[in-house]
Amino acid sequence: MAGCTREERPPATPPPPSPQTSSGPGFVVLSDVDHRILTDIRYASAYNFLGRPVDGYQQPLCLLTARAAAALRGVQDAALAVGRSLKVYDCYRPQRATDDFLNWVGQPGRDAMKTAFYPRVPKTELVDRGYLGAPSAHSRGSTVDLTLVDVPAPDQARHVPGQPLVACTAAHRQRVTDNSVDMGTGFDCFDPLSHIDSDRVSVTARENRRQLRQLMTDGGFVGYDREWWHFRYRDEPWPDTYFDLPVARSSTG
């Protein structure tokens, strides 16, 4: 998810990120814990709703608390048993990245990626509709945005800046920049079709969403009703702490 969840609506003035504790948050690189889980860290690239790398993403890595990473490894075991793999889009997110999102919302005219990520929702309504906000559970290090991919993973076309964009609400076969199974929309599709209980997506998409949610719920994660890809580890070690370390291997340990 790009913002906050309904269960954790932000106060009028978001609190500053909590300082790093003396022992640190204990982040790990997910690929070190389970190299089988695929990664597609969108905010470290130009293929996201900003159209550029997001502030704080120094490396295309999935950082998580050790507890959440271990739980995700268990989910991957269960996914592989049914012929599918997890693929993560975003994991730990520094507070500065969320600030970058909100600063962008307040900048008129910067809508180069509208077609691909919010084709039917005005940019000015993204906060009020719950798609963007602060603080974000991602900054606590135990929340992940992810999907399912068939095994073996299909090829994925690379997005080339400047090429024609395809709406995230378009048919699955048209969204070639993602090798995910059909989830009804693309990742970070700020649209009612992304709501977990939308009955306007195909039967196949609804079943794939159900499967992802079941796998994640069984693994100890809690979903978010407006975004099929967003899950928070229920037993997160830092439920009230928001970090601002960069997304980089140097932030682990």
Side-chain angles (χ1 to χ4, degrees):
M1 176 189 184
C4 59
T5 65
R6 180 177 296 174
E7 65 182 286
E8 51 185 319
R9 282 292 181 204
T13 303
S18 301
Q20 185 176 351
T21 62
S22 58
S23 60
F27 293 151
V28 296
V29 176
L30 179 62
S31 60
D32 293 346
V33 176
D34 193 333
H35 68 277
R36 304 168 302 172
I37 299 176
L38 306 176
T39 59
D40 185 2
I41 308 301
R42 295 287 185 84
Y43 298 152
S45 75
Y47 190 54
N48 57 62
F49 61 92
L50 296 188
R52 58 167 173 78
V54 177
D55 192 13
Y57 283 77
Q58 296 181 2
Q59 295 177 272
L61 298 173
C62 171
L63 304 187
L64 288 171
T65 60
R67 192 179 299 175
L72 208 59
R73 180 176 58 197
V75 177
Q76 176 72 347
D77 288 338
L80 289 173
V82 293
R84 290 187 161 172
S85 171
L86 301 178
K87 184 177 80 167
V88 296
Y89 297 112
D90 192 37
C91 303
Y92 161 71
R93 180 187 308 159
Q95 178 64 39
R96 72 190 78 176
T98 300
D99 295 341
D100 197 11
F101 294 165
L102 297 184
N103 289 336
W104 167 81
V105 169
Q107 297 171 346
R110 299 198 175 185
D111 286 315
M113 303 299 284
K114 177 176 175 58
T115 296
F117 294 98
Y118 50 107
R120 304 189 299 186
V121 177
K123 176 181 175 180
T124 54
E125 297 181 14
L126 293 178
V127 173
D128 289 343
R129 294 201 188 190
Y131 297 118
L132 296 175
S136 169
H138 281 275
S139 298
R140 304 198 296 260
S142 296
T143 294
V144 61
D145 294 337
L146 78 175
T147 189
L148 293 172
V149 176
D150 284 328
V151 176
D155 292 336
Q156 175 172 301
R158 180 183 177 188
H159 171 73
V160 178
Q163 73 182 43
L165 298 173
V166 176
C168 58
T169 54
H172 178 244
R173 65 182 178 277
Q174 297 176 7
R175 293 182 271 114
V176 298
T177 51
D178 197 333
N179 59 358
S180 168
V181 300
D182 185 4
M183 289 294 189
T185 74
F187 163 64
D188 257 3
C189 189
F190 302 144
D191 190 274
L193 287 181
S194 294
H195 297 188
I196 189 66
D197 60 353
S198 174
D199 60 3
R200 296 174 56 203
V201 299
S202 69
V203 173
T204 297
R206 292 200 296 271
E207 174 57 25
N208 287 334
R209 291 181 181 188
R210 185 208 64 76
Q211 183 181 51
L212 176 61
R213 192 165 191 138
Q214 189 65 58
L215 287 166
M216 294 298 288
T217 299
D218 290 349
F221 290 82
V222 179
Y224 174 49
D225 61 354
R226 296 191 188 184
E227 296 176 343
W228 58 258
W229 55 82
H230 176 97
F231 294 88
R232 172 183 58 83
Y233 185 55
R234 186 180 295 110
D235 191 24
E236 59 181 317
W238 302 105
D240 302 305
T241 307
Y242 300 88
F243 296 97
D244 196 35
L245 299 166
V247 176
R249 185 168 286 276
S250 61
S251 296
T252 63

